[in-house]
Amino acid sequence: MDSQTSQPSPASPSPHTFQVDLRGLVDLLSHHLYSSPKVYLRELLQNAVDAITARRAEQPDAPATVRLHAEGGTLRVEDSGIGLTESDVHSLLATIGRSSKRDDGLESARSDFLGQFGIGLLACFVVAERIRVVSRSARTPDAAPVEWTAADDGSYTVRTLPHSARPEPGTTVHLVARAGAGEWLSAERVRSLARDFGALLPYDVRVGEEPIADLPAPWDRSYPSPATRRVALARHCHDLFGFTPLDSIDLDVPLAGIRGVAYVLPSAVSPAQRASHRVHLKGMLLTERAEQLLPDWAFFVRCVLDTDSLRPTASRESLYEDETLAAVREALGERIRSWLTGLAAGDPERLAAFLSVHHLGVKSLARHDPEMLRTMLPWLPFETTDGRLSLEEFAQRHPVVHFTRTVEEYRQVAPIASAQGVGVVNGGYTYDSELVEALPSVRPGTVVSELDADTVTAHLDGVDPAEELALSPFLAAARARLDPLGCDVVLRAFHPLSVPALHLDDRAARHEQARADAEEQADDLWAGILGSLRGSAPRARLVLNHLNPLIRRISSFDDPDLIGTATESLYGQALLMAQRPLRPADSALLNRAFIGLLEWATHTDPGKDDRR
């Protein structure tokens, strides 16, 4: 058996430890991770509350106090929490990102904690140049108190102290403000921030001797009557958000550990505007700008709530988008939907007041939710030729629910359709045409039809054939003048008499006209391509009202040029009445017709004066 020569193995590389530039890391925290230096106080409160939670997990009767004292550019935060030993200090405070919640079997209780001790304390360097921590462990009562002092250059010292330095278990954090940051450690600012962040904390938290917690939360308190509760919540909303709400909606989702309230805005807002909500995590304010908490359609409310299930991002200033947040968003949306249903069933006056302001939000919900559409159908307002009505009431009046897809189309036909007894819904506003088209799905038997030029023309009275034949020279001259604009001329009799002419087209006709305009301006290659796309859609039409006195006078003219000028004027006026955007060719026509009418009006008999 041949022997094999073994080859020497390469030397194993020596491990190295990452070196952290603490000042650079503090700059990263202050300029990129945290939105404001004020979060330093939240981190201190979180550490104190977590320490108390950890101690109470082992000693349920342990005291639960946090005291903050600010004076002369320094801050002292004392808590009665679990405390630290000397080994804890070395392993936790000197190791960035290390969490005391992972140690000593507390992983299973992690849901009771707010943050990580190491990274939270590090955040204090955003406002402080020096941090001093004095702590005594409740787990090891005989252990001496320990002092950890750190500077923003990354250096720190650790030493043990006599028992008299900290007689009771717990931790005290001392901060000394860095240059230019003294205002953040002032007594007034600390008091304001503590109230904002810690108003719902379950422990005895005080700034000096002043308690900052306001428990129970306003939505959990007992009130003498529903009216009293409504007034109290309205006051809370005004203090918190700066407006008096139309109504308040309880947000109680026990499975997600959520309690709170949604306040209905008193004025309309754009659906595109991102709503900001206040979210507390286990009593601590996490963010006042949570945007993804509710479904997009619920843009008409502002929420404040407390939760123990949602996951914060690394900065703990927003919510992590995960399956839990998606489930909570759906549950809160269902709660708001139930509130709307309850109003429809039992409080129509409050519902009407709400819809007068926020009908757009409800329409947004109803277009995706047949049950909500069915519930809101008698209440949602629409612009119609019969006035502002709900679709339910409009459908009861008209066997066919006609609608237009644009506001321009509605304005074009509304006066004429109304005079002819044709009911039309303006579907040009946001969500309206979608809701009209969905009407048969929740109201079986309803006929819905998009109104087009042919439908309107069919409802107008025809002219006696003999009279129309007699006017054929006039109609031929009028058609010849508008033919280059892609518009036909027809004669009908309709009301109101005051309308001399009506311009009718539909989307297909407008698309064809746009194609023709582009073909006319294109080079030979593109003109050929656009020409191959020519459609067979009906052209726009100018409907002249044979009952109108002006049309009768114009139809008696013999001069083709004068008939053409008058027809152009009627065409331009009909476009303006319909509030349609004018093409360059339309603007040129209006100018030409205006000048032509002036020349005709100032024309005198050539036999008497050859001037015009």
Side-chain angles (χ1 to χ4, degrees), residues 518-542:
E519 180 183 358
E520 183 178 342
Q521 299 174 12
D523 56 28
D524 292 342
L525 174 61
W526 282 109
I529 295 174
L530 291 170
S532 66
L533 300 176
R534 182 180 295 109
S536 58
R539 304 206 304 170
R541 64 198 70 174
L542 182 68

Side-chain angles (χ1 to χ4, degrees), residues 363 366-367 373 382 391 431-439:
K363 286 180 177 180
R367 68 192 178 118
L373 177 59
F382 289 79
L391 286 181
Y431 310 133
D432 282 9
S433 61
E434 297 173 70
L435 292 175
V436 175
E437 289 182 297
L439 187 56

